[in-house]
Amino acid sequence: MLDTLMKIGAYRVEHFDFDNQADPSAFGFYIRGEKTATGAYSKDAKAQLYAGLMLILAKQMIGHLRGIYVDVDSLENLQRPAYRQMKIDLQTGLFKRIFVPDVSALMGTPRANEDVRQLFQMVGGFELMICRDGDCTPLELFG
C-alpha cells in the first residue's frame, strides 16, 4: 500500500469478497490525496486511510465494506483510476453508499462537484457518508 502513496497518479483498488446477498448497508471507502514535490508520500491519503479504517472498525461497519479506492492525484483529474472504478462499482450496484473521511476527496471544485452530481443522477442517488469526531452522518447531496 505504501508504494501507492508515494507517487502522483498512483492508485489502488481493493475489493472484498463477501456473499452476493443484497446489503443496504454496503459501502465503498474512497480516499484521495495529493503528493507534494518535496514529500516522500501523500500524507493526506495516509491520514484518510488510517482515520477511516479506525472509524469503520469502531463503528463495526467492516462487514459492510465492499471496496477501498485510493487515488494519489488532483481533484481536477476526473479520470483518476480508483475513482473511475468506484463509479463503475456504484453503477453496477455493489453498494449505494460511499464513505469519505474528507469530502474534499470527491468534491470541492466546480468540475468535481458536477461529476458527482451527474453520477448521483445516473445511479438514482447514493448516500455520501462523512465522519467527524466519531459521528458518521450522511451528507445531503443535490436533494
Side-chain angles (χ1 to χ4, degrees), residues 43-143:
K43 292 179 183 178
D44 288 341
K46 179 182 174 187
Q48 289 174 46
L49 176 65
Y50 287 178
L53 288 174
M54 286 190 321
L55 277 168
I56 289 167
L57 290 170
K59 297 291 183 182
Q60 299 179 353
M61 300 182 329
I62 195 75
H64 304 288
L65 179 61
R66 295 299 179 258
I68 299 176
Y69 307 83
V70 180
D71 280 310
V72 178
D73 210 330
S74 164
L75 182 61
E76 280 298 306
N77 178 7
L78 300 180
Q79 297 304 312
R80 301 180 306 271
Y83 176 63
R84 286 192 345 247
Q85 183 61 53
M86 183 196 67
K87 289 171 41 172
I88 290 167
D89 292 347
L90 186 62
Q91 291 169 4
T92 60
L94 188 60
F95 49 81
K96 292 291 273 180
R97 301 166 74 207
I98 300 170
F99 168 60
V100 291
D102 184 347
V103 73
S104 69
L106 285 177
M107 301 174 74
T109 68
R111 287 184 65 228
N113 295 354
E114 178 60 19
D115 195 66
V116 171
R117 187 191 65 75
Q118 288 176 5
L119 177 63
F120 185 85
Q121 288 180 331
M122 182 185 322
V123 300
F126 60 85
E127 184 176 279
L128 185 59
M129 299 184 309
I130 308 292
C131 293
R132 292 186 190 102
D133 301 321
D135 182 36
C136 297
T137 56
L139 183 67
E140 183 67 33
L141 287 174
F142 318 111

